Amino acid sequence: MDHFISIISSELSLREQQVFNTVKLLSEGATIPFISRYRKEITGSLDEVQIAQIRDRHKQLMELDSRRKTILETISEQGNLTAELEKKILNALTIFELEDLYLPYKPKRKTKASVAREKGLEPLAKIIMSQNSQPVEIFANKYVNAKLGVASIEDALSGARDIIAEWVSEDNFVRGKIRNLFQREAQINSKVVKGKEEEGAKYQIYFDTSEKITKAPSHRVLAMFRGEAEGFLKLSIEPDADVALELIERQFIRSKNEAANHIKKAIKDSYKRLIQPSIETEVRQVVKEKADLDSIRVFGENLRQLLMAPPLGEKTVLAIDPGFKSGCKVVVINPQGKLLHNENIYPHPPQNEHSQASAKIQRLVQQYKVEAIAIGNGTAGRETEAFIRKVRFDRDVMAIVVNENGASVYSASSIARAEFPNYDVTVRGAVSIGRRLMDPLAELVKIDPKSIGVGQYQHDVNQTLLQNQLDEIVVSSVNKVGVEVNTASKELLSHVSGIGLALAKNIIDFRNENGPFISRAKLKKVPRFGDKAF
């Protein structure tokens, strides 16, 4: 634990005591919003971003340590664990560095090198690696053995080169150098799959492109990966091959003789067949993770802006879910969000019942003393807004276009069915639009954040990371605003730090049976609402 605390404090430029206290609070089940608001004296006033960074890095180091233990046990069981190797493994700070150290000892499938070893060619590979001045054919001739499948001198030399290629690919220093080269200089190259030009036309701008991976924007990276996944693009990520080969040769070539030429051949094969594909896979993973995190950050901010939009407040609202052929669903909801009335109007083609629709809206506004009109921004949204602007009312009534993303998801959900068991999905969707105007946060917490439409590539990123981040944004927003315990829904209450769905249900049940809470202390009488949650 102390080792992790030191690493994290150094990386994030924080005091070790701040990191230690934060990790302790998190391990005890405290949420990030709770820590940032109510434990400032313990953490040294760390904000939510810093606390999340500590949590994520600590988790990463814990996972790294778990893998480290497995690797040490495996190599030790093989009888290959030296004091020097153990020290290197214990000091490794990244998963890639750790896996490089483990690679020579990792159980392998049958490879070209393992086949060559079975033919007894490893001693020849060692001789070639010594780069002796004598012609290698002289040594190679001794390993020609038809019974072992070595029919000629060239067979012997080819097998020896396969073994050398594996040695080169498993060299820790070489892999580090090549990885750094990829990270600094690699280009991401995109080509269209032959014969897919017409079908994949939406990816046309990526049919023949190349750019430095360090400068490729996240949205372009995700678009190219999507094109590849759909079978329209072929991607490669690599630096200049000649530069890579020169880096490796500098590590191994010490002479200018025939043995050195064979090593060069082995190096070229090793890079093309083993090193380049392996490091490219790693870099793809890193690039994808970075693009995911960048995009998820944008999605999170978009969601935060939606959730934190200023509420209209407790007013009687007429909400419209627009449509053409099926008409516009109209509902009226009271200041507490209760449904008062619902019906359809048909102001658009093909019915074009402008007068009837206008009269209905005027009647409803007058009858229920409507103070605001919420109009969904989906299909026919602009046309409906234009229609409403032309209707004349006997009082000032504001008309506001509302983002309706996710309303259909809510309308078909178990939450909506429980709220409105006697109404169909069209009514529920229109109610959701109206409530979003009155209190966006209270309504949007009922919907899966991914369904709210927070970003263009949200289905291409790591879904677990996305869900975690969006859930955190919801929790952060709810805790920033706070809730009115006597009116809040179960879904809203469940996002308060220390309260989950089960405890939120208990609060609602207790409230329904015993009336409103007259003090916060009364919450302790709710079943399972203990001191820790309080």
Side-chain angles (χ1 to χ4, degrees), residues 32-145:
I32 290 176
F34 174 80
I35 295 170
S36 68
R37 285 167 178 74
Y38 306 115
R39 292 296 179 264
K40 291 179 183 291
E41 75 284 359
I42 297 178
T43 67
S45 297
L46 295 181
D47 60 28
E48 289 188 10
V49 173
Q50 291 170 309
I51 295 168
Q53 288 174 332
I54 292 171
R55 178 203 58 193
D56 294 344
R57 184 56 174 145
H58 186 261
K59 180 183 177 184
Q60 189 181 58
L61 288 171
M62 290 286 285
E63 290 171 351
L64 186 69
D65 205 45
S66 175
R67 179 62 178 155
R68 190 194 325 273
K69 288 175 183 174
T70 300
I71 288 172
L72 284 170
E73 287 171 6
T74 303
I75 299 176
S76 179
E77 287 169 3
Q78 294 172 353
N80 294 321
L81 187 62
T82 64
E84 183 183 3
L85 178 59
E86 183 177 18
K87 184 179 179 182
K88 287 180 179 179
I89 291 172
L90 291 172
N91 290 332
L93 291 179
T94 69
I95 191 66
F96 297 131
E97 187 181 349
L98 199 56
E99 294 297 341
D100 283 352
L101 292 165
Y102 180 45
L103 190 58
Y105 310 96
K106 198 172 186 177
K108 297 179 178 67
R109 298 173 301 164
K110 197 167 189 178
T111 64
K112 284 188 173 185
S114 66
V115 171
R117 286 192 183 92
E118 289 170 3
K119 294 177 179 179
L121 296 173
E122 189 163 20
L124 177 59
K126 290 178 179 178
I127 291 170
I128 295 172
M129 284 296 283
S130 71
Q131 298 176 54
N132 193 294
S133 59
Q134 290 189 26
V136 292
E137 284 83 357
I138 296 174
F139 299 107
N141 189 50
K142 299 176 183 177
Y143 293 89
V144 175
N145 186 329

Side-chain angles (χ1 to χ4, degrees), residues 410-430:
Y410 161 78
S411 65
S413 69
S414 57
I415 296 171
R417 288 196 299 273
E419 284 191 284
F420 302 103
N422 301 319
Y423 295 94
D424 66 17
V425 292
T426 60
V427 174
R428 298 170 192 161

Side-chain angles (χ1 to χ4, degrees), residues 312-313 315-322 328-333 345 357-366 368-377 381 383-403 430-438:
L312 179 67
K315 297 183 184 297
T316 302
V317 171
L318 182 148
I320 306 175
D321 186 358
C328 302
K329 175 60 70 176
V330 178
V331 299
V332 178
I333 50 180
I345 58 173
S358 181
K360 283 184 179 180
I361 295 295
Q362 287 174 324
R363 175 176 55 79
L364 291 172
V365 167
Q366 185 177 18
Y368 291 101
K369 295 182 172 51
V370 169
E371 299 166 88
I373 298 175
I375 305 163
N377 69 342
E383 291 81 358
T384 303
E385 181 190 9
F387 160 71
I388 290 295
R389 299 285 181 202
K390 294 176 183 176
V391 179
R392 295 291 173 257
F393 303 111
D394 61 354
R395 68 172 65 83
D396 288 335
V397 179
M398 64 182 82
I400 301 170
V401 176
V402 176
N403 185 330
V431 170
S432 181
I433 290 169
R435 285 176 171 178
R436 288 187 192 195
L437 179 61
M438 296 166 67

